[in-house]
Amino acid sequence: DVKVTQSSRYLVKRTGEKVFLECVQDMDHENMFWYRQDPGLGLRLIYFSYDVKMKEKGDIPEGYSVSREKKERFSLILESASTNQTSMYLCASEGAANTGELFFGEGSRLTVL
Amino acid sequence: QKEVEQNSGPLSVPEGAIASLNCTYSDRGSQSFFWYRQYSGKSPELIMFIYSNGDKEDGRFTAQLNKASQYVSLLIRDSQPSDSATYLCAVNEGEYGNKLVFGAGTILRVKS
């Protein structure tokens, strides 16, 4: 079974703090994604990566950055957390041959006070 | 901004009935269409995908695609209480791989 592991399930941070969300997949997938999920808005793509050290902006990249130093690990960074970044963050990796089959981690619920 | 629209629901159906979930999308260039199911407190999981106009059946699930009308639907036959979840429609965009745009989801409740 594909396993996508997000390091933190629940985080509470203060405005202005730097936040790291880490994601590791164990299936040697090329493509990895970070989404945020908010009620009524669905999943919105923040950043994605098709290879090590490669990143592309998604639809809402402002206030976020990413790092992919190793194929299995894709990190999302909030340089200076703000209250409007309170959300559920979902990492996903994509199965082979661009199937569109995303395997999601269990999510990281971030609250910024 | 490409858009994927779904009725938020909740859609309530009795056990054993057919549940019909609908989705429209704005990008005529989209080629791949997906339905994900998300149980409360859990992550989404892929249940169906469809690339060509017409119907695609997998067990109790049927995906229907009409590119001319920019419309995708998911039918669930013999609905069970275990089908109660949020169903997310997703459409691809982008030159590489499958960058997906998701709808906000339809909540389905199957009453026993």
Side-chain angles (χ1 to χ4, degrees), chain A residues 37 50 94 98-100 102 105, chain B residues 34 36 38 43 96-98 100:
Chain A
Q37 186 173 30
Y50 289 121
E94 185 179 25
N98 297 322
T99 58
L102 300 185
Chain B
F34 306 86
Y36 281 77
Q38 186 174 25
S43 296
Y96 304 108
N98 272 295
L100 298 184

Side-chain angles (χ1 to χ4, degrees), chain A residues 2-106:
Chain A
V2 174
K3 191 165 181 64
V4 179
T5 303
Q6 294 184 230
S7 56
S8 304
R9 291 294 306 277
Y10 301 95
L11 304 93
V12 180
K13 299 292 182 180
R14 297 203 176 274
T15 300
E17 283 192 81
K18 191 168 187 176
V19 182
F20 291 89
L21 300 178
E22 295 198 324
C23 175
V24 178
Q25 50 97 1
D26 66 356
M27 284 300 291
D28 202 36
H29 289 164
E30 301 285 342
N31 306 337
M32 297 187 73
F33 305 81
W34 274 105
Y35 286 89
R36 64 177 282 179
Q37 186 173 30
D38 301 288
L41 296 178
L43 278 77
R44 292 179 292 167
L45 182 62
I46 304 171
Y47 266 97
F48 57 103
S49 171
Y50 289 121
D51 203 351
V52 174
K53 296 189 185 295
M54 183 275 183
K55 60 186 178 184
E56 292 285 342
K57 293 180 179 179
D59 297 318
I60 52 164
E62 296 78 19
Y64 304 94
S65 62
V66 291
S67 173
R68 189 145 181 222
E69 295 296 321
K70 293 184 178 181
K71 190 176 185 179
E72 67 271 18
R73 188 180 299 269
F74 191 35
S75 301
L76 181 68
I77 303 152
L78 288 68
E79 294 290 343
S80 178
S82 63
T83 55
N84 63 11
Q85 293 178 309
T86 293
S87 187
M88 171 66 82
Y89 290 88
L90 290 166
C91 174
S93 69
E94 185 179 25
N98 297 322
T99 58
E101 181 174 17
L102 300 185
F103 297 89
F104 286 89
E106 294 200 341

Side-chain angles (χ1 to χ4, degrees), chain B residues 50-72:
Chain B
I50 186 167
Y51 302 142
S52 303
N53 277 328
D55 294 0
K56 179 182 179 182
E57 187 174 317
D58 184 1
R60 295 186 297 112
F61 298 94
T62 298
Q64 299 176 318
L65 173 62
N66 183 326
K67 289 186 178 180
S69 301
Q70 297 175 246
Y71 178 90
V72 191

Side-chain angles (χ1 to χ4, degrees), chain B residues 1-19:
Chain B
Q1 179 82 19
K2 296 178 176 56
E3 295 182 344
V4 178
E5 300 286 342
Q6 297 181 256
N7 187 321
S8 62
L11 173 65
S12 292
V13 300
E15 184 175 357
I18 296 175

